[in-house]
Amino acid sequence: MQKPSDLNEKQWQAVKSQARHLLIIAGPGTGKTHTLTRRIARIAHEQKGTAYVLAITFTNKAAQEMRERLTKYISESVEDVEVATFHKFCLGILRRYSSLKDYRIATSVQVKEVSKSLWPHLPERERKQKLEDIGRTKSCALKETHSEVTSYNEELRKQKLIDFDDILLETVFLLEADKTLLEKMQETYSDIFVDEYQDINEAQHKLLLLLAAKQTGVTAIGDPQQSIYGFRGSNVKFFEGFAADFPGSEKIELSENYRSASHLLKASGQISKKGRILGVPALEAKFSGHGDLIVHCVPSEKAESEYVVHQIEKLVGGTSMFSQDSKRVAVDDHGDFTFGDIAVLYRTNAQQKVLQEAFERSGIPHQASGDKLFYEEKEVADFLEDIRKDTRKPVTLIVSDLKARHQETGRDCFLKMVELVQKAKSRQEFFDNLFLERENDTLDQNVEKVSLMTLHCAKGLEFPVVFIIGCEEGLIPFKGKGDCIDVEEERRLFYVGMTRAKQRLYLLNTQKRMAFGRVYVPKPSRFLSDIEETLKRYEEGADLPRKKKEDTQLNLFGKI
C-alpha cells in the first residue's frame, strides 16, 4: 500500500493498521472523519463482496458526509458498507424483528403530552426534569427501573409510541433475549466503526459489546476532551476503558490540527489542560497565521447582541445603508468574511431571543437552531398528520403537496421533506427518517447566513469566525436554578466552542443580565482566567452608535 498524498503519517498509520481493534484519539481539526472514512474504505475494498462493515455516527449530517466520501473513495464497494446513526441502525432492527415494528417514534410534543397526563399537578419545569431523569435511566440500559419509568412507558405503548431512548434500549433487550438474532447480527458484520466514541452511553456500549462478541473488529475514534453529553447519560469512561473491553487493541493519536490558527489553538489547549482528562496529546497548529482572540465586556445582554451585530457588519463590510450612514462601516469596506463564515454560540436557548431580535433589526441573514424541531411546529405537524392518516395517498402526490406548500410558505423545511420522501422506500421510512432528525441536523452550512446555535449543537462544525456570548459564571460554566455545576463537562463544552473557530474568536461577557425574572451582576467565567493574557486582545468600548427609529427602515435586506 502506498500512502495517499492527503494523509499525514499518523493518519496513514491509522488507515493501514492491521489491528483487529483500534482506538484513534483525534482532537478537533485533526482530520477525524477523513481518517476514519479512509480506513473504512480500505477494509471494505479489501474484502469486497465477502462481508459487510457497519459505520455508526451520532448525527444524520455526519452519516450523510461519510456516505458521500465513501462513494468517492470506493464506488465499487460502497454497497458493502452500512452507514447509520445509532438510532437509525437500531430502528432498522426493531422494524424487522420486534413486536414494536409498527410503533411510531414519539415527537417531543407527544412526550410532553404524556407527561402532562401522568403528572398534571406538577409545573412544567418539574415534568421536564422527570423526563430527563427517565431518559438517563433508559440510557443505562437497565431492565429493572423505577415505577415512573414503567408508567411512562405504559402510556407511550397505549398510543403505539416509542420514544427516542427506547430505540436503543429495546434493541439491546431484543438482542439479549433472542440469541438466534444476535448470532445473525454478529455474523453479518466483519468490522464496526464508531465515530465520536467519547459520547456513547451505557446502552450504546452494551450494543457494541453484543455485536462484537465474536470475531467482529471494532475501530473507535473520538476525543475524550470533547465529551459533553453527560446529562444524556454519556460517559467518557467507555473511551478510557476501550483496551479492557477489546483486548489486544492498538491506540493511535492524531495531533496535527488543520483548522485553528496557532493562538486560538494554544488558548483552547490551556482550557483543556486545566481539566482532569490526562494522556491526550497537545495539538500542533498546521494552519497559517496566529489568529485573533478578542475578549470583550459589555453593559448588558442587549448591548452584547448589538456588539455582535456591529462586529459582523464590519467583518462582511456592511449589511445596510444604516451601517454606512452611521459610519459603523466604511462605504468602500468589503470585509474579509461572508455571513456563512460566522457562528454565534451560546450556552442555553434562552439566550437566543435577544440575539435574534438584534439580527432582525439589522437585517443580517441568519439561521438558528432551537429546542423545537421544524416538524413539531403546529403548521408542519398538522400537515404531516394529514399525510399519515391518508394511507392511500401515493408518494408522488405527497411530493406534490410538499412542493405546493413550499411555494405557499417559502419555507425550506418542506423542500427538506421532499428529499426525505424521495429517498425513502416506504411511507414508514419517510416518517422514521423525519422523526430521527435532531437539532444538530437543522442548520445548513451551505447557505450564506450567520449560524446561531448552542455550544452543544456546534459540535463537529467549524467556522472562520466564532462568537461565544455569555462567558460568565452561571452560564459558562452553567448553573441552573438549584442545580450544581459539573465544572469538568462545562470546561470540555467551552473547549468544544473555542475549537470551532479557525481565524477569529470573540469571547463576550456582560456587566448585568436577566435570569429567572431578575437582574443580576455576573462574574466573568472562571475559564477566561485560564487563558494566557498575551493571547487575548481586549476591547475597551463597544463603540456602538444609538439607532434612530426611522433608520431601521433603511435596511437593505429586510426581515429575514
Side-chain angles (χ1 to χ4, degrees), residues 379-405:
E379 175 194 8
V380 181
D382 290 346
F383 179 79
L384 289 170
E385 186 62 14
D386 289 341
I387 293 176
R388 190 186 68 80
K389 286 179 178 177
D390 189 358
T391 57
R392 293 173 298 179
K393 180 175 286 189
V395 170
T396 52
L397 194 51
I398 292 175
V399 169
S400 297
D401 288 350
L402 288 167
K403 288 180 177 178
R405 189 58 64 95

mmCIF file of all heavy atoms in Angstrom, residues 379-405:
data_model
loop_
_atom_site.group_PDB
_atom_site.id
_atom_site.type_symbol
_atom_site.label_atom_id
_atom_site.label_comp_id
_atom_site.label_asym_id
_atom_site.label_seq_id
_atom_site.Cartn_x
_atom_site.Cartn_y
_atom_site.Cartn_z
ATOM 1 N N GLU A 379 -48.068 24.204 12.246
ATOM 2 C CA GLU A 379 -48.381 24.212 10.811
ATOM 3 C C GLU A 379 -47.848 22.957 10.117
ATOM 4 O O GLU A 379 -48.551 22.313 9.340
ATOM 5 C CB GLU A 379 -47.761 25.455 10.167
ATOM 6 C CG GLU A 379 -47.918 25.502 8.656
ATOM 7 C CD GLU A 379 -47.026 26.545 8.001
ATOM 8 O OE1 GLU A 379 -46.179 27.139 8.688
ATOM 9 O OE2 GLU A 379 -47.189 26.753 6.795
ATOM 10 N N VAL A 380 -46.604 22.595 10.438
ATOM 11 C CA VAL A 380 -45.976 21.437 9.807
ATOM 12 C C VAL A 380 -46.545 20.140 10.383
ATOM 13 O O VAL A 380 -46.821 19.183 9.658
ATOM 14 C CB VAL A 380 -44.445 21.478 9.983
ATOM 15 C CG1 VAL A 380 -43.787 20.283 9.306
ATOM 16 C CG2 VAL A 380 -43.874 22.778 9.426
ATOM 17 N N ALA A 381 -46.724 20.116 11.714
ATOM 18 C CA ALA A 381 -47.229 18.910 12.377
ATOM 19 C C ALA A 381 -48.626 18.541 11.878
ATOM 20 O O ALA A 381 -48.923 17.361 11.649
ATOM 21 C CB ALA A 381 -47.244 19.112 13.892
ATOM 22 N N ASP A 382 -49.496 19.541 11.707
ATOM 23 C CA ASP A 382 -50.852 19.283 11.205
ATOM 24 C C ASP A 382 -50.810 18.729 9.781
ATOM 25 O O ASP A 382 -51.550 17.802 9.433
ATOM 26 C CB ASP A 382 -51.685 20.569 11.228
ATOM 27 C CG ASP A 382 -52.029 21.008 12.641
ATOM 28 O OD1 ASP A 382 -51.849 20.191 13.571
ATOM 29 O OD2 ASP A 382 -52.450 22.166 12.821
ATOM 30 N N PHE A 383 -49.939 19.286 8.971
ATOM 31 C CA PHE A 383 -49.779 18.830 7.585
ATOM 32 C C PHE A 383 -49.317 17.375 7.553
ATOM 33 O O PHE A 383 -49.851 16.547 6.794
ATOM 34 C CB PHE A 383 -48.781 19.736 6.878
ATOM 35 C CG PHE A 383 -48.510 19.358 5.446
ATOM 36 C CD1 PHE A 383 -49.403 19.698 4.448
ATOM 37 C CD2 PHE A 383 -47.358 18.665 5.104
ATOM 38 C CE1 PHE A 383 -49.165 19.354 3.122
ATOM 39 C CE2 PHE A 383 -47.107 18.315 3.787
ATOM 40 C CZ PHE A 383 -48.014 18.660 2.793
ATOM 41 N N LEU A 384 -48.337 17.042 8.402
ATOM 42 C CA LEU A 384 -47.811 15.676 8.449
ATOM 43 C C LEU A 384 -48.852 14.684 8.971
ATOM 44 O O LEU A 384 -48.927 13.543 8.517
ATOM 45 C CB LEU A 384 -46.564 15.627 9.331
ATOM 46 C CG LEU A 384 -45.316 16.297 8.755
ATOM 47 C CD1 LEU A 384 -44.233 16.398 9.822
ATOM 48 C CD2 LEU A 384 -44.800 15.531 7.549
ATOM 49 N N GLU A 385 -49.664 15.127 9.925
ATOM 50 C CA GLU A 385 -50.692 14.244 10.466
ATOM 51 C C GLU A 385 -51.731 13.911 9.400
ATOM 52 O O GLU A 385 -52.220 12.774 9.327
ATOM 53 C CB GLU A 385 -51.358 14.912 11.679
ATOM 54 C CG GLU A 385 -52.357 14.017 12.412
ATOM 55 C CD GLU A 385 -51.729 12.766 13.007
ATOM 56 O OE1 GLU A 385 -50.485 12.682 13.099
ATOM 57 O OE2 GLU A 385 -52.501 11.856 13.396
ATOM 58 N N ASP A 386 -52.057 14.877 8.545
ATOM 59 C CA ASP A 386 -52.990 14.614 7.441
ATOM 60 C C ASP A 386 -52.408 13.561 6.485
ATOM 61 O O ASP A 386 -53.120 12.675 6.004
ATOM 62 C CB ASP A 386 -53.274 15.906 6.669
ATOM 63 C CG ASP A 386 -54.121 16.881 7.474
ATOM 64 O OD1 ASP A 386 -54.774 16.442 8.436
ATOM 65 O OD2 ASP A 386 -54.111 18.087 7.155
ATOM 66 N N ILE A 387 -51.093 13.667 6.222
ATOM 67 C CA ILE A 387 -50.441 12.694 5.347
ATOM 68 C C ILE A 387 -50.454 11.309 5.984
ATOM 69 O O ILE A 387 -50.727 10.304 5.328
ATOM 70 C CB ILE A 387 -48.983 13.125 5.059
ATOM 71 C CG1 ILE A 387 -48.969 14.397 4.214
ATOM 72 C CG2 ILE A 387 -48.220 12.012 4.341
ATOM 73 C CD1 ILE A 387 -47.572 14.945 3.966
ATOM 74 N N ARG A 388 -50.174 11.273 7.276
ATOM 75 C CA ARG A 388 -50.109 9.974 7.971
ATOM 76 C C ARG A 388 -51.460 9.259 7.960
ATOM 77 O O ARG A 388 -51.538 8.049 7.775
ATOM 78 C CB ARG A 388 -49.635 10.184 9.412
ATOM 79 C CG ARG A 388 -49.311 8.893 10.145
ATOM 80 C CD ARG A 388 -48.994 9.144 11.599
ATOM 81 N NE ARG A 388 -50.160 9.590 12.343
ATOM 82 C CZ ARG A 388 -51.114 8.774 12.805
ATOM 83 N NH1 ARG A 388 -51.046 7.470 12.586
ATOM 84 N NH2 ARG A 388 -52.135 9.249 13.478
ATOM 85 N N LYS A 389 -52.524 10.026 8.159
ATOM 86 C CA LYS A 389 -53.855 9.429 8.236
ATOM 87 C C LYS A 389 -54.346 8.950 6.870
ATOM 88 O O LYS A 389 -55.073 7.958 6.774
ATOM 89 C CB LYS A 389 -54.840 10.451 8.812
ATOM 90 C CG LYS A 389 -54.664 10.676 10.308
ATOM 91 C CD LYS A 389 -55.656 11.716 10.813
ATOM 92 C CE LYS A 389 -55.526 11.925 12.313
ATOM 93 N NZ LYS A 389 -56.442 12.988 12.802
ATOM 94 N N ASP A 390 -53.968 9.661 5.811
ATOM 95 C CA ASP A 390 -54.420 9.299 4.467
ATOM 96 C C ASP A 390 -53.467 8.250 3.893
ATOM 97 O O ASP A 390 -52.587 8.556 3.080
ATOM 98 C CB ASP A 390 -54.470 10.541 3.579
ATOM 99 C CG ASP A 390 -55.133 10.263 2.233
ATOM 100 O OD1 ASP A 390 -55.504 9.095 1.991
ATOM 101 O OD2 ASP A 390 -55.264 11.206 1.440
ATOM 102 N N THR A 391 -53.659 7.005 4.298
ATOM 103 C CA THR A 391 -52.724 5.934 3.911
ATOM 104 C C THR A 391 -52.801 5.587 2.432
ATOM 105 O O THR A 391 -51.923 4.912 1.908
ATOM 106 C CB THR A 391 -53.014 4.670 4.740
ATOM 107 O OG1 THR A 391 -54.385 4.295 4.552
ATOM 108 C CG2 THR A 391 -52.746 4.928 6.213
ATOM 109 N N ARG A 392 -53.850 6.044 1.746
ATOM 110 C CA ARG A 392 -53.997 5.712 0.320
ATOM 111 C C ARG A 392 -53.273 6.697 -0.595
ATOM 112 O O ARG A 392 -53.139 6.458 -1.786
ATOM 113 C CB ARG A 392 -55.483 5.667 -0.052
ATOM 114 C CG ARG A 392 -56.253 4.529 0.616
ATOM 115 C CD ARG A 392 -57.729 4.651 0.340
ATOM 116 N NE ARG A 392 -58.285 5.887 0.892
ATOM 117 C CZ ARG A 392 -59.560 6.265 0.771
ATOM 118 N NH1 ARG A 392 -60.390 5.496 0.096
ATOM 119 N NH2 ARG A 392 -59.980 7.394 1.301
ATOM 120 N N LYS A 393 -52.812 7.804 -0.037
ATOM 121 C CA LYS A 393 -52.168 8.828 -0.863
ATOM 122 C C LYS A 393 -50.817 8.330 -1.354
ATOM 123 O O LYS A 393 -49.949 7.982 -0.555
ATOM 124 C CB LYS A 393 -51.991 10.124 -0.076
ATOM 125 C CG LYS A 393 -51.317 11.240 -0.873
ATOM 126 C CD LYS A 393 -51.269 12.545 -0.101
ATOM 127 C CE LYS A 393 -52.641 13.202 -0.053
ATOM 128 N NZ LYS A 393 -52.571 14.569 0.501
ATOM 129 N N PRO A 394 -50.576 8.285 -2.662
ATOM 130 C CA PRO A 394 -49.291 7.801 -3.182
ATOM 131 C C PRO A 394 -48.159 8.789 -2.889
ATOM 132 O O PRO A 394 -48.399 9.984 -2.683
ATOM 133 C CB PRO A 394 -49.544 7.684 -4.687
ATOM 134 C CG PRO A 394 -50.643 8.645 -4.959
ATOM 135 C CD PRO A 394 -51.508 8.652 -3.736
ATOM 136 N N VAL A 395 -46.935 8.262 -2.921
ATOM 137 C CA VAL A 395 -45.753 9.078 -2.609
ATOM 138 C C VAL A 395 -45.637 10.254 -3.576
ATOM 139 O O VAL A 395 -45.276 11.366 -3.176
ATOM 140 C CB VAL A 395 -44.475 8.209 -2.664
ATOM 141 C CG1 VAL A 395 -43.228 9.081 -2.587
ATOM 142 C CG2 VAL A 395 -44.480 7.199 -1.527
ATOM 143 N N THR A 396 -45.958 10.039 -4.846
ATOM 144 C CA THR A 396 -45.845 11.121 -5.841
ATOM 145 C C THR A 396 -46.733 12.307 -5.474
ATOM 146 O O THR A 396 -46.352 13.466 -5.668
ATOM 147 C CB THR A 396 -46.235 10.614 -7.234
ATOM 148 O OG1 THR A 396 -47.524 9.968 -7.162
ATOM 149 C CG2 THR A 396 -45.207 9.631 -7.756
ATOM 150 N N LEU A 397 -47.919 12.000 -4.944
ATOM 151 C CA LEU A 397 -48.832 13.071 -4.560
ATOM 152 C C LEU A 397 -48.353 13.771 -3.287
ATOM 153 O O LEU A 397 -48.525 14.978 -3.120
ATOM 154 C CB LEU A 397 -50.245 12.510 -4.361
ATOM 155 C CG LEU A 397 -51.377 13.536 -4.279
ATOM 156 C CD1 LEU A 397 -51.322 14.496 -5.452
ATOM 157 C CD2 LEU A 397 -52.724 12.841 -4.211
ATOM 158 N N ILE A 398 -47.736 13.009 -2.379
ATOM 159 C CA ILE A 398 -47.158 13.615 -1.166
ATOM 160 C C ILE A 398 -46.086 14.619 -1.565
ATOM 161 O O ILE A 398 -46.017 15.737 -1.031
ATOM 162 C CB ILE A 398 -46.560 12.527 -0.243
ATOM 163 C CG1 ILE A 398 -47.668 11.653 0.336
ATOM 164 C CG2 ILE A 398 -45.753 13.179 0.893
ATOM 165 C CD1 ILE A 398 -47.158 10.491 1.162
ATOM 166 N N VAL A 399 -45.244 14.247 -2.518
ATOM 167 C CA VAL A 399 -44.193 15.145 -3.001
ATOM 168 C C VAL A 399 -44.804 16.409 -3.594
ATOM 169 O O VAL A 399 -44.348 17.530 -3.320
ATOM 170 C CB VAL A 399 -43.300 14.438 -4.045
ATOM 171 C CG1 VAL A 399 -42.380 15.444 -4.740
ATOM 172 C CG2 VAL A 399 -42.481 13.345 -3.382
ATOM 173 N N SER A 400 -45.859 16.253 -4.376
ATOM 174 C CA SER A 400 -46.530 17.406 -4.984
ATOM 175 C C SER A 400 -47.103 18.335 -3.907
ATOM 176 O O SER A 400 -46.989 19.561 -4.009
ATOM 177 C CB SER A 400 -47.652 16.945 -5.914
ATOM 178 O OG SER A 400 -47.133 16.186 -6.984
ATOM 179 N N ASP A 401 -47.720 17.739 -2.880
ATOM 180 C CA ASP A 401 -48.282 18.536 -1.781
ATOM 181 C C ASP A 401 -47.200 19.316 -1.045
ATOM 182 O O ASP A 401 -47.387 20.482 -0.682
ATOM 183 C CB ASP A 401 -49.021 17.629 -0.793
ATOM 184 C CG ASP A 401 -50.330 17.093 -1.367
ATOM 185 O OD1 ASP A 401 -50.746 17.575 -2.443
ATOM 186 O OD2 ASP A 401 -50.926 16.187 -0.744
ATOM 187 N N LEU A 402 -46.054 18.661 -0.813
ATOM 188 C CA LEU A 402 -44.950 19.324 -0.114
ATOM 189 C C LEU A 402 -44.392 20.480 -0.941
ATOM 190 O O LEU A 402 -44.107 21.558 -0.400
ATOM 191 C CB LEU A 402 -43.841 18.315 0.198
ATOM 192 C CG LEU A 402 -44.145 17.295 1.300
ATOM 193 C CD1 LEU A 402 -43.119 16.166 1.289
ATOM 194 C CD2 LEU A 402 -44.154 17.977 2.679
ATOM 195 N N LYS A 403 -44.238 20.264 -2.223
ATOM 196 C CA LYS A 403 -43.728 21.328 -3.095
ATOM 197 C C LYS A 403 -44.705 22.501 -3.151
ATOM 198 O O LYS A 403 -44.288 23.672 -3.159
ATOM 199 C CB LYS A 403 -43.471 20.784 -4.501
ATOM 200 C CG LYS A 403 -42.252 19.875 -4.589
ATOM 201 C CD LYS A 403 -42.036 19.372 -6.011
ATOM 202 C CE LYS A 403 -40.768 18.522 -6.106
ATOM 203 N NZ LYS A 403 -40.563 17.988 -7.484
ATOM 204 N N ALA A 404 -45.990 22.179 -3.186
ATOM 205 C CA ALA A 404 -47.008 23.233 -3.207
ATOM 206 C C ALA A 404 -46.973 24.040 -1.917
ATOM 207 O O ALA A 404 -47.088 25.277 -1.932
ATOM 208 C CB ALA A 404 -48.392 22.620 -3.421
ATOM 209 N N ARG A 405 -46.821 23.336 -0.796
ATOM 210 C CA ARG A 405 -46.754 24.028 0.495
ATOM 211 C C ARG A 405 -45.501 24.909 0.580
ATOM 212 O O ARG A 405 -45.537 25.993 1.166
ATOM 213 C CB ARG A 405 -46.776 23.008 1.636
ATOM 214 C CG ARG A 405 -46.918 23.624 3.026
ATOM 215 C CD ARG A 405 -48.182 24.468 3.150
ATOM 216 N NE ARG A 405 -49.394 23.700 3.018
ATOM 217 C CZ ARG A 405 -50.071 23.209 4.050
ATOM 218 N NH1 ARG A 405 -49.643 23.404 5.280
ATOM 219 N NH2 ARG A 405 -51.184 22.520 3.838
#
